[in-house]
Structure formats: C-alpha cells, structure tokens
C-alpha cells in the first residue's frame, strides 16, 4: 500500500533524491527523480538526463534545471550519476547509464511511467552517452542487472555531444581521451570507433534533436554535422539547430538558444506522446 506522501509525490510533483539504482563493486550509483507536476494518474513519459564533464568530472545535480523544466511539462525526469575516469575506464560510463534506463523500466509501475516512452537528454559527454542509448546497435557488453529490460531509448536530446571520437578534435585533447579510454588514441583505434555514436547508428536508432554552437571550442560543430549525415544515411530523423556565436555552454541570454531549447522540449513531448511497440523495449539481446 502506498503512503499518502508517496501518492502526493506522484500527483503533485516532487523529487526523490539519492535513489540507488546500482552498486557495482560496492559503489553506490544514484539518481534524483523529478516527478511530473500534474494531477493526472496516467503513466507518463520519462527522460534520463545525463551530466557532462568530459567523462572525468561533473555531477547529476548539474542537470537539475533541465529536470525541473521537464517535470513542469509532464515528464518524469531522472538525473543520474555514473562512474568516472580516471578511476574507471570506458565503457564503464555507458554501461552505467544503460543500467539506469533498465532500472527505470523495471520500476515503471511504481514510478507511474510508460516504459515504452522513455527518452534521454545530455550535455557534452552526457550528450554522447545519450546518443549511445538511442543507438540500435549497442557498443558494450551485456548487463548483469535488470535482465529482460531494454536499455534503448525512444528519443534523444543531444546538447553538443561528441559523436565521432576519431575526428575533428585537437591534439591537445589526446591526453584526456587516453585517461578515459585507458590508452592513447593512436593505440586504441577499435575502442575509439566503438565509443563513437556514429558507429552504432542503424535504421532502428531513436530520432535525435541536436543543439550545438558554431563557436564551440571543445566539441567542434563538425561533430554535429557528422551525426546529421550518419543519421540521415540510415533514414533516422534528426533535427539539428546550429547556433551562431554559441560556445560549449547553454547561454540563456541568447534568444536563439532559448528558442531552440523550447523547440527541443516540444519535440520531446511529440516524440514521446504515444507508445511504441512493447517488444522494442522489452526484448533484450546480448548487445541491447
């Protein structure tokens, strides 16, 4: 039996903080769950929100503003922590967020969400991980937890995420990539390819909305263009907004940025407005 406070959380919005979704090696991985601010008791769409920080830093609380905006529009939004380099190497990060997706689906009835209407959003490294969640061909090993639940999402909002780790980046970032990948890029050709979202795009990949700055000094705008070409080559929908003067940040004083964010939110609502086939999210292969 649910408590009155829990019922009110679902009906009127609220935040469940420090929810443990996995404990690999005894390390407690947590998420903060922002419940939709609505009086409806019908199952809602959900979005996993992933922080950036070059896979070495950042925290889930950095994405609180995005989660609040999603909750106001009727989504359940969960901002998630994942293991970081240099302590942990690739593909630990993507395996953690994949586990988080499976966790949400496994708790769908409890959380009052529709497991067939689940998206992902992320900025920078978080955008990179969100894109991998939307890929139809997963780049990592099978997961031990929440068997029987897919980790693929149905829509992705990508804010200036890296898409092809083998191209466009200045040599000055090679040390950072080596810290994350576990070896220098020139010795990690297959790892670099495997960690690049463009490698894993297929006809059944999720549609994507990309927001990227033309003046981004860290993730070149060419990365968004490479993603656009790869998605279109497979017939996957991609909405892309490239903003003049925008750097590696979300500048809310820029009207073009705020307009694109509003457009992206409405796009997510449209893409997650109706259920997709249940088989898509409940059938799990060794690579999903």
């Amino acid at each position: 039996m649910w408590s009155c406070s829990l019922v009110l959380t679902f009906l009127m919005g609220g935040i469940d903080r420090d929810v443990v979704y996995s404990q690999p090696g005894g390390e407690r991985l947590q998420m903060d769950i922002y419940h939709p601010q609505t009086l409806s008791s019908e199952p809602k769409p959900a979005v996993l929100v992933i922080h950036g920080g070059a896979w070495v830093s950042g925290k889930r609380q950095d994405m609180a503003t995005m989660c609040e905006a999603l909750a106001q529009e009727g989504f359940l939004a969960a901002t998630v922590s994942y293991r970081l380099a240099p302590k942990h190497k690739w593909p630990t990060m993507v395996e953690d967020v994949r586990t988080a997706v499976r966790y949400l689906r496994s708790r769908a009835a409890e959380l009052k969400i529709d497991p067939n209407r689940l998206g992902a959003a992320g900025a920078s490294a978080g955008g990179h991980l969100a894109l991998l969640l939307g890929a139809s061909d997963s780049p990592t090993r099978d997961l031990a937890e929440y068997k029987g639940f897919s980790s693929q999402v149905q829509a992705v909002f990508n804010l200036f995420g890296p898409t092809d780790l083998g191209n466009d980046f200045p040599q000055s970032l090679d040390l950072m990539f080596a810290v994350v990948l576990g070896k220098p890029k020139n010795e990690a050709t297959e790892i670099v390819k495997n960690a690049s979202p463009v490698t894993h795009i297929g006809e059944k990949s999720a549609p994507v909305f990309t927001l990227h700055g033309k003046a981004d000094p860290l993730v070149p705008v060419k990365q968004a263009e490479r993603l656009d070409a790869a998605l279109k080559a497979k017939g996957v929908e991609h909405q892309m907004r490239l903003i003049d003067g925008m750097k590696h940040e979300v500048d809310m004083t820029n009207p073009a940025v705020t307009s694109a964010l509003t457009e992206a939110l409405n796009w997510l609502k449209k893409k997650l407005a109706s259920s997709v086939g249940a088989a898509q999210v409940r059938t799990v292969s060794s690579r999903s």
Side-chain angles (χ1 to χ4, degrees):
M1 181 69 67
W2 286 352
S3 69
C4 290
S5 61
L6 185 57
V7 172
L8 287 173
T9 294
F10 287 135
L11 294 182
M12 301 180 65
I15 308 172
D16 292 336
R17 301 190 188 277
D18 306 327
V19 176
V20 177
Y21 72 89
S22 181
Q23 298 189 64
E27 187 168 346
R28 290 161 59 87
L29 298 179
Q30 299 174 321
M31 63 172 67
D32 296 337
I33 300 174
Y34 292 68
H35 294 277
Q37 298 179 9
T38 174
L39 294 177
S40 172
S41 60
E42 293 298 314
K44 299 297 187 296
V47 179
L48 188 75
V49 183
I50 310 170
H51 71 80
W55 310 279
V56 299
S57 64
K59 57 186 185 299
R60 66 181 185 276
Q61 293 85 355
D62 295 339
M63 307 303 288
T65 299
M66 179 178 286
C67 289
E68 290 166 356
L70 288 165
Q72 288 173 4
E73 295 296 329
F75 294 92
L76 179 141
T79 178
V80 63
S81 297
Y82 52 93
R83 287 172 289 176
L84 302 171
K87 181 179 179 180
H88 302 285
K89 308 302 182 187
W90 184 265
T92 301
M93 305 81 180
V94 71
E95 291 179 345
D96 288 345
V97 297
R98 287 177 61 214
T99 297
V101 172
R102 286 187 172 190
Y103 172 87
L104 290 175
R105 285 204 167 103
S106 75
R107 302 294 192 275
E110 175 186 343
L111 294 171
K112 299 295 269 187
I113 61 173
D114 184 343
N116 299 314
R117 299 159 62 197
L118 208 159
S124 192
H128 164 265
L129 295 174
L131 287 168
L132 288 171
L133 291 177
S136 59
D137 181 14
S138 172
T140 59
R141 304 175 294 256
D142 191 21
L143 304 176
E145 298 177 88
Y146 314 114
K147 292 285 189 179
F149 295 95
S150 172
S151 58
Q152 185 179 6
V153 299
Q154 281 65 62
V156 175
F157 178 25
N158 161 44
L159 293 94
F160 41 83
T163 68
D164 184 346
L165 304 189
N167 288 291
D168 308 322
F169 292 95
Q171 194 172 16
S172 59
L173 294 181
D174 282 358
L175 178 59
M176 182 272 292
F177 280 118
V179 167
V180 175
L181 301 176
K183 59 178 66 176
K185 284 178 66 176
N186 61 0
E187 299 176 11
T189 303
E190 285 304 311
I191 299 176
V192 168
K193 180 180 178 180
N194 196 41
S196 297
V198 293
T199 302
H200 304 284
I201 293 169
E203 294 177 356
K204 294 183 180 180
S205 292
V208 180
F209 190 107
T210 290
L211 173 60
H212 207 118
K214 292 184 179 180
D216 192 325
L218 295 180
V219 180
V221 69
K222 181 65 176 178
Q223 291 282 291
E225 295 168 346
R226 289 184 187 278
L227 175 67
D228 184 61
L231 288 165
K232 289 180 176 178
K234 294 294 185 179
V236 179
E237 180 191 346
H238 184 211
Q239 300 291 322
M240 182 172 63
R241 301 295 176 264
L242 306 182
I243 309 299
D244 289 329
M246 176 179 165
K247 297 182 179 180
H248 197 69
E249 60 184 357
V250 178
D251 181 4
M252 296 301 290
T253 67
N254 185 334
V257 173
T258 57
S259 176
L261 288 171
T262 298
E263 186 180 3
L265 183 58
N266 289 331
W267 180 87
L268 272 176
K269 290 170 69 175
K270 180 179 179 181
K271 291 303 169 188
L272 299 178
S274 58
S275 297
V276 297
Q280 180 176 347
V281 298
R282 290 180 183 152
T283 300
V284 180
S285 73
S286 63
R287 295 181 61 81
S288 71

